[in-house]
Amino acid sequence: SGVERLGDMIAEARVIVPFTGAGISTECGIPDFRSPGGIWTRNRPIPFDEFVASQSARDESWRRRFAMEEVFAAAKPGRGHRALASLYRAGKVPAVITQNIDNLHQASGFAGEHVIELHGNTTYARCIGCGQAYPLDWVKRRFDDDGLAPNCTACDEPVKTATISFGQMMPDDEMQRATALSQACDLFIAIGSSLVVWPAAGFPMMAKNAGARLVIINREPTEQDDIADLVIHHDIGEALGPFVAN
Ligand code: OAD
Ligand code: ZN
C-alpha cells in the first residue's frame, strides 16, 4: 500500500523535510480553507492593503480572529504533528516548513527555530509599522473597550495577527531557509495542502528539481500530484499514525 511504500521511503531517507498545510490540523478541530465548510467557503479573505487602509476591515479581521479563539486555544497536536515530531526527535527531520499559523508543530515538540512559518503565526500580534509584538489579550482588551481594532502604542500603526495576508510580503528569512531545506533534503513530504497558494506551493517542485523524492499526502487530489513519486489520497492521521513513536 501507499503507507507501506512511505515507510520504506522514510527508512531509506537521510534528510526528510515535511511541508504542511491546513489539512494536518483538521483532526485538531481547526478548519482548513478550501474544503466544504473551510474558512474561504464562509468568509472572503481580507487582503493586506485593505487591512492597512480601512478601520472597518481591521475590526472585521479581529472579530473573525476572536471568534476562532476557543478553537485555537483548545487545539492539541494531532497524529500527523506527532509523527513528524517523532521523526524530528529521531534526527531524520531537521525542520518543518509550514503554511499553518496554529503553533501546533511547536506544541508537538519542534523547537521554535525548527518551524519555518511561511505564513506567520496567529497566536500573537504585531504592529505592521514597527514590528512590536503584542499578546492577543492586549488586543482583546483594547478591542472590547471601544469595539475598534487598536493601533501600536509606540508608533500608532495598526496591530495585526502575526500572520501573512494575501498581498503582504513573504518573510525573507523563512523563504530563504525553506529554499535551503528544500534543496538539501532527499525526501520531501507535502502534507494536507491543496498546493494552490504561491510562492509556498513552489517548494515541492523545488525539492523535486533538486533531486529529492516527493511524496504528497492529501485527501483530495492536488495541483501537483503529477510530479510526485508517491501520492497518498488518504486521511493524514491514518497515514501518519503508524510513524508516531511511543
Ligand atoms: P487548503 O484548505 O487549501 O487545503 C487543505 C487540503 O487538506 C485540502 O485539499 C483537503 O482535502 C486536505 N485535508 C483536510 N483534512 C484532511 C485530512 N484529515 N486528511 C487528509 N487531507 C486533508 O489549505 P492550505 O493548502 O494549507 O494562506 O492553504 C494554503 C494557504 O491558503 C493557507 O496557508 C492560507 C490560505 O489562504 C494565506 O491566507 C496567505
Ligand atoms: Zn508600532
Side-chain angles (χ1 to χ4, degrees):
S1 74
V3 177
E4 277 166 25
R5 173 110 195 275
L6 174 62
D8 292 341
M9 290 168 91
I10 287 175
E12 286 160 18
R14 284 182 311 110
V15 181
I16 304 170
V17 169
F19 169 89
T20 61
I24 197 172
S25 296
T26 54
E27 78 172 24
C28 314
I30 301 171
D32 67 9
F33 294 93
R34 294 174 181 80
S35 291
I39 307 267
W40 296 154
T41 69
R42 288 181 279 156
N43 281 317
R44 173 187 74 82
I46 298 170
F48 185 65
D49 58 350
E50 225 177 287
F51 183 95
V52 174
S54 152
Q55 176 74 45
S56 66
R58 294 196 287 280
D59 297 345
E60 169 63 12
S61 167
W62 279 110
R63 261 194 301 279
R64 289 182 189 177
R65 176 61 186 84
F66 293 132
M68 290 286 291
E69 182 51 18
E70 287 186 27
V71 165
F72 281 118
K76 301 269 185 299
R79 288 168 292 178
H81 299 100
R82 286 156 51 212
L84 299 182
S86 298
L87 293 168
Y88 169 69
R89 288 192 196 94
K92 283 235 165 191
V93 164
V96 57
I97 305 172
T98 189
Q99 301 168 88
N100 298 343
I101 57 176
D102 56 27
N103 217 52
L104 288 179
H105 289 299
Q106 291 90 333
S108 75
F110 276 84
E113 69 267 30
H114 297 145
V115 183
I116 317 298
E117 294 177 315
L118 297 175
H119 294 164
N121 188 304
T122 195
T123 65
Y124 64 101
R126 262 191 204 291
C127 166
I128 63 172
C130 71
Q132 168 72 48
Y134 289 92
L136 290 192
D137 330 351
W138 179 87
V139 181
K140 181 82 166 75
R141 257 182 281 120
R142 299 287 303 264
F143 191 73
D144 286 348
D145 277 348
D146 56 5
L148 296 175
N151 286 0
C152 179
T153 53
C155 77
D156 205 36
E157 291 293 316
V159 172
K160 181 180 171 295
T161 56
T163 54
I164 306 295
S165 299
F166 289 115
Q168 191 170 359
M169 287 270 288
M170 291 294 285
D172 251 338
D173 184 58
E174 282 76 2
M175 286 299 288
Q176 281 176 32
R177 292 174 65 207
T179 299
L181 283 161
S182 300
Q183 293 175 339
C185 63
D186 53 5
L187 179 60
F188 187 100
I189 313 180
I191 303 162
S193 177
S194 57
L195 301 177
V196 297
V197 173
W198 294 72
F203 290 110
M205 193 179 300
M206 185 186 290
K208 178 77 188 157
N209 288 341
R213 285 169 158 184
L214 174 61
V215 177
I216 295 178
I217 309 175
N218 203 63
R219 201 155 51 200
E220 301 294 322
T222 77
E223 299 254 311
Q224 302 186 36
D225 286 2
D226 55 337
I227 65 163
D229 297 279
L230 173 65
V231 178
I232 302 179
H233 285 156
H234 201 55
D235 179 74
I236 291 160
E238 294 292 311
L240 291 180
F243 303 100
V244 177
N246 295 303

